[in-house]
Amino acid sequence: QVQLVESGGGLVQAGGSLRLSCAASRRTFSTYNMGWFRQAPGKEREFVAAISWDGVNIYYADAVKGRFTISRDNAKNTVWLQMNSLKPEDTAVYYCAADRTYTGTRVSRYEIWGQGTQVTVSS
């Protein structure tokens, strides 16, 4: 089973950008659909973006549409989340997730999770 490690989080001012990476441990990464989720203190984990195994199907939460971009490179076993025009309300721990059969918004449908990376946006 693939293991996921996120990186790229940090502290940024409002309006700035960050690029999160999620590296997978196995070449079977190319068979997994991938998602990014986030969880702010005291809130439930919420969907941010998802991409199918072949990169054809991509979905975004309304809150990030037009600002965030999800992409993947199966040769590098990596999925990215480019975050632009960041807002204080984007502050959260960001998680990547993988599933062999599901590409979508539902937290419970993803099989494998990373440990998360903190993103803090100051006003």
Side-chain angles (χ1 to χ4, degrees), residues 4-10 19-23 36 78-81 94 96 115-119:
L4 306 174
V5 178
E6 302 97 332
S7 61
R19 189 190 196 201
L20 304 184
S21 299
C22 174
W36 284 99
T78 302
V79 62
W80 295 276
L81 185 68
Y94 282 70
C96 69
Q115 84 290 347
T117 186
Q118 176 71 48
V119 171

Side-chain angles (χ1 to χ4, degrees), residues 59-86:
Y59 308 97
Y60 295 101
D62 288 343
V64 307
K65 205 170 291 184
R67 300 188 298 123
F68 291 10
T69 302
I70 188 171
S71 60
R72 68 187 296 161
D73 186 337
N74 288 341
K76 296 181 178 179
N77 293 349
T78 302
V79 62
W80 295 276
L81 185 68
Q82 177 67 44
M83 306 187 296
N84 299 329
S85 303
L86 282 161

Side-chain angles (χ1 to χ4, degrees), residues 10-18 38 67-68 83 85-92 94 118-123:
L11 174 63
V12 64
Q13 288 189 331
S17 298
L18 282 174
R38 66 187 182 186
R67 300 188 298 123
F68 291 10
M83 306 187 296
S85 303
L86 282 161
K87 305 175 181 180
E89 51 263 44
D90 294 318
T91 295
Y94 282 70
Q118 176 71 48
V119 171
T120 303
V121 184
S122 63
S123 57

